[in-house]
Amino acid sequence: MSALDLIAFATTALAGHRLRSALSLLGVAIGVAAVVLLTALGEAARAYVVGQFEALGTNLLIVIPGRTETSGGLPGVGKPPHDLTLGDAEALRRGIAQARHVVPVVIGTERVAHQGRQRDAIIVGTTHEFLAVRRLGVGIGGFLPPLEQRRSLPVVVLGSKLAAELFPGQNPLGRIVRIGGWRMRTIGVLVPRGVQLGLNLDEIALVPVGTGMRMFDRTSLFRILIELGAHTELEAARERARAIIRERHGEEDVTCLSQDAVLGAFSSILGALTAALAGIALVSLSVAGIGIMNVMLVSVSERTAEIGLLKALGARRRQVLAAFLAEAVLLALAGGVLGLLAAAGAGQAVSWYVPALQIRPPAWAVAAALGLSVGAGALFGLLPALRAVRLDPVAALARAGG
Amino acid sequence: MIELEEVWRTYRLGGEPIHALAGISERIEAGEHVAIMGPSGSGKSTLLHVLGCLDRPTAGSYRLDGQDVTQLEDDALAELRGHRIGFVFQAYHLVARLSAEANVELPMVFLGVPRGERRRRAAAALEAVGLLDRRRHRPAELSGGQRQRVAIARATVMRPRLLLADEPTGNLDSAAGAQVLDLLDQLHAEGITLVVVTHDPEVARRAGRVLVLRDGRVAARLAGSELGGLERALGRGKPGP
């Protein structure tokens, strides 16, 4: 008996009970669509978050004042960490050969006002290199000029939304805004970039780092960003940065974060989420498998006489098994293909409405869903098929048949 | 050639042994036409199933063409049924969803006959039973007599040497039944060994030999032509129709 004959025979059997076949096929389709869609959704969420990080570059080293290790003793009793200063930033720039950019950052919240319009905004004090490191773009005007870092200059670059709110319908270039007690000249507006790592870049105001430190009366930087030429230089640069700080502060009282660590954590959390979604989807697929089993059991008991006949005609045990298994697998496979099509359609729809979530079912999920549906067909078809094989032909034929 | 020696077939029904066949020894030569008669429960059908290798004797030996088939594996028996034995049933047992042609092809599908060859042989077999023009019809679109002729085409398409028929005319009116019986006679004339289980003396009369079963044993052996003695053998004491 050739595979083609087997498929043809199974197909006529399925066509013999169309509604029942269609319903269990639908069950498999829903199960498969659920597997593919939910894993794709999880993957899309992961891709979105990873994309957020990668927009910043994976070869970024972030130096934060304070240690991550817990020191002994009572809380609050430990020595406060040294300030992370502009001098430290300068030392890092000179000391780390691999560094492409070293960017000091100071952050505060201040009221930004122009002619009665005002709002609270996050003020970022930094240098001209911030533009490159955070992958920002300037819409109109220019960015912060290269300055000797300690120098203060009353200029500001506004986020696009902030600019639009302070200067509705006007060109903000050259205009004076009031930030706290400071009068600052607007020299540029950023292109819209949206939220990046929880910071809405469209609503910030950028000022020179020296101005920022004075504005907030800070002696310590918020952090220092170090962008390296390549990802592979990260570890060497981290060691070098620690050594430099140790030398300057007398102890290692900073934390050097890389995107890798954060990215890895997020990625594994979202990976777990995807796995959980896939697990839920698998439940629906196994329910579909039980649906197949039900249909096949009904099919076997309905076709008892036929099975007896096949045996009388010389069908071997293996062939009877294969005939009924093929039926279950065909059902599952057809359901699987239908489910994939449905998932592709639904994915397109989601991506259409939420462009940030690009639903592209991962290849492994598609393969796994198809494989699982076929596997479920075979697994849940096995019991009914074995029942058919074990039927006593004499008893089977004794049932009235066509 | 069929040789049965002390064949028993015992069922257990609620712990009680029921002897459907109780020590049958019989020899049926190749090319014979034998009818098996007897009251309900006498073991006719069981005997036919044993002859057809669908059922195994509980004890005794059954040799088909010199081969002891009681020792064979299931698959070997399937092979035997496929190639050497044809079955015709009272209820036809055609597959309702398949056309007449596909029904006739069915045994060849499972025995691995190539597609083209299958078409040719199915057409020839349907032609032989006079139903070539109905080959696309489903069983539901055929009369009872036509269905049974399709079943005969299916039973003979593998050119078996032994044809077993269980009440082949039981569901048919006399005209359709006569047509089916003529067909069986013709197959017998072509050399097939024919064993027919029947209640109907008209059917048995065509056989060369009639075995009358009673309580799982052969109660009488008659020539087809001496069916006058049949009613006595059956113990009915009733004149024939």
Side-chain angles (χ1 to χ4, degrees), chain B residues 110-138:
Chain B
F110 283 90
L111 294 168
V113 177
R115 194 165 280 256
E117 170 94 13
R118 277 198 324 246
R119 279 282 135 76
R120 213 162 42 247
R121 280 164 74 171
L126 282 169
E127 172 117 65
V129 300
L131 287 173
L132 189 58
D133 56 332
R134 301 290 163 93
R135 66 182 186 280
R136 305 254 183 258
H137 291 228
R138 302 227 173 159

Side-chain angles (χ1 to χ4, degrees), chain A residues 1 4-5 9 12-13 16 303 305-306 309-317 319 392-394 397 399-402, chain B residues 49 54-55 74-75 78-79 81-82 87 89 91-95 97-98 106-107 109-112 115 118 154:
Chain A
M1 189 176 198
L4 201 65
D5 290 332
F9 185 75
T12 65
R303 285 154 65 200
E306 179 184 325
L309 172 77
L310 294 183
K311 292 184 172 188
L313 293 181
R316 289 152 186 259
R317 297 165 63 91
Q319 291 176 317
D392 171 24
V394 173
L397 282 166
R399 295 268 209 98
Chain B
H49 292 141
L54 283 170
D55 203 355
D74 279 0
D75 279 351
E79 170 92 18
R81 290 194 293 266
F87 291 92
F89 307 96
Y92 326 126
H93 284 307
L94 297 178
V95 179
R97 61 175 184 275
L98 299 178
L106 202 53
V109 168
F110 283 90
L111 294 168
R115 194 165 280 256
R118 277 198 324 246
R154 182 181 64 192

Side-chain angles (χ1 to χ4, degrees), chain A residues 306-331:
Chain A
E306 179 184 325
I307 294 160
L309 172 77
L310 294 183
K311 292 184 172 188
L313 293 181
R316 289 152 186 259
R317 297 165 63 91
R318 211 158 15 94
Q319 291 176 317
V320 174
L321 185 77
F324 280 85
L325 267 187
E327 214 174 306
V329 168
L330 270 186
L331 206 55

Side-chain angles (χ1 to χ4, degrees), chain A residues 8-359:
Chain A
F9 185 75
T11 309
T12 65
L14 288 174
H17 43 87
R18 280 201 187 87
L19 181 64
R20 231 187 303 139
S21 302
L23 286 176
S24 66
L25 188 144
L26 194 63
V28 177
I30 291 170
V32 167
V35 168
V36 172
L37 210 54
L38 288 182
T39 51
L41 212 57
E43 270 302 300
R46 202 182 64 82
Y48 172 73
V49 171
V50 169
Q52 288 269 301
F53 280 96
E54 278 175 349
L56 298 177
T58 51
N59 39 2
L60 196 64
L61 193 63
I62 304 166
V63 182
I64 301 175
R67 265 178 303 203
T68 47
E69 300 91 47
T70 311
S71 49
L74 295 169
V77 173
K79 210 167 41 157
H82 287 88
D83 288 344
L84 191 62
T85 63
L86 285 171
D88 292 334
E90 197 50 44
L92 290 172
R93 178 195 304 286
R94 271 185 269 109
I96 301 175
Q98 305 94 327
R100 212 193 294 168
H101 302 287
V102 174
V103 185
V105 177
V106 62
I107 277 187
T109 309
E110 196 53 271
R111 179 145 300 183
V112 182
H114 171 251
Q115 291 181 348
R117 292 175 185 277
Q118 56 182 18
R119 58 168 296 161
D120 289 330
I122 290 173
I123 314 298
V124 179
T126 186
T127 64
H128 64 284
E129 289 169 288
F130 189 77
L131 186 74
V133 171
R134 291 300 293 259
R135 312 279 192 268
L136 301 176
V138 174
I140 51 174
F143 198 66
L144 299 173
L147 283 177
E148 199 277 309
Q149 288 189 351
R150 274 170 238 280
R151 260 193 70 199
S152 178
L153 192 71
V155 293
V156 64
V157 175
L158 299 172
S160 57
K161 191 174 172 201
L162 185 60
E165 285 177 5
L166 292 175
F167 300 97
Q170 305 168 38
N171 183 356
L173 284 188
R175 309 287 286 269
I176 303 295
V177 293
R178 191 170 286 279
I179 300 179
W182 295 61
R183 288 168 51 83
M184 312 283 277
R185 190 164 51 86
T186 306
I187 56 169
V189 177
L190 298 175
V191 292
R193 182 52 49 93
V195 179
Q196 208 176 63
L197 294 181
L199 181 64
N200 190 340
L201 294 171
D202 297 344
E203 296 181 0
I204 61 171
L206 294 159
V207 299
V209 63
T211 312
M213 290 188 81
R214 250 162 259 176
M215 190 180 277
F216 303 121
D217 198 19
R218 296 271 167 81
T219 52
S220 179
L221 291 169
F222 176 63
R223 54 190 52 177
I224 298 171
L225 309 178
I226 303 171
E227 192 185 84
L228 304 163
H231 184 68
T232 49
E233 297 164 353
L234 199 69
E235 283 315 308
R238 191 200 301 270
E239 283 315 308
R240 188 83 190 98
R242 281 194 185 135
I244 291 168
I245 296 297
R246 203 158 46 228
E247 192 182 312
R248 289 176 61 86
H249 295 184
E251 59 174 329
E252 194 183 309
D253 58 356
V254 293
T255 302
C256 294
L257 284 184
S258 60
Q259 299 277 10
D260 282 17
V262 187
L263 186 64
F266 264 104
S267 188
S268 66
I269 289 167
L270 289 161
L273 179 75
T274 303
L277 289 175
I280 293 165
L282 274 183
V283 171
S284 74
L285 192 58
S286 58
V287 169
I290 291 167
I292 288 186
M293 176 145 72
N294 192 23
V295 164
M296 292 309 299
L297 281 174
V298 171
S299 183
V300 167
S301 63
E302 241 185 25
R303 285 154 65 200
T304 303
E306 179 184 325
I307 294 160
L309 172 77
L310 294 183
K311 292 184 172 188
L313 293 181
R316 289 152 186 259
R317 297 165 63 91
R318 211 158 15 94
Q319 291 176 317
V320 174
L321 185 77
F324 280 85
L325 267 187
E327 214 174 306
V329 168
L330 270 186
L331 206 55
L333 190 64
V337 170
L338 190 68
L340 282 184
L341 292 178
Q348 287 283 322
V350 170
S351 295
W352 178 263
Y353 287 112
V354 189
L357 281 183
Q358 281 304 309
I359 306 281

Side-chain angles (χ1 to χ4, degrees), chain B residues 18-19 37 43 71 76 88 94 101 107 113 127 130 132 135-136 157 175 194 197 210 214-216 231 235 237 241:
Chain B
I18 307 281
H19 302 295
M37 299 192 77
Q71 304 304 320
V88 176
L94 297 178
E101 187 177 42
V113 177
E127 172 117 65
L132 189 58
R135 66 182 186 280
R136 305 254 183 258
V157 76
L194 182 60
V197 162
V210 182
R214 194 152 199 199
D215 298 330
E231 302 305 319

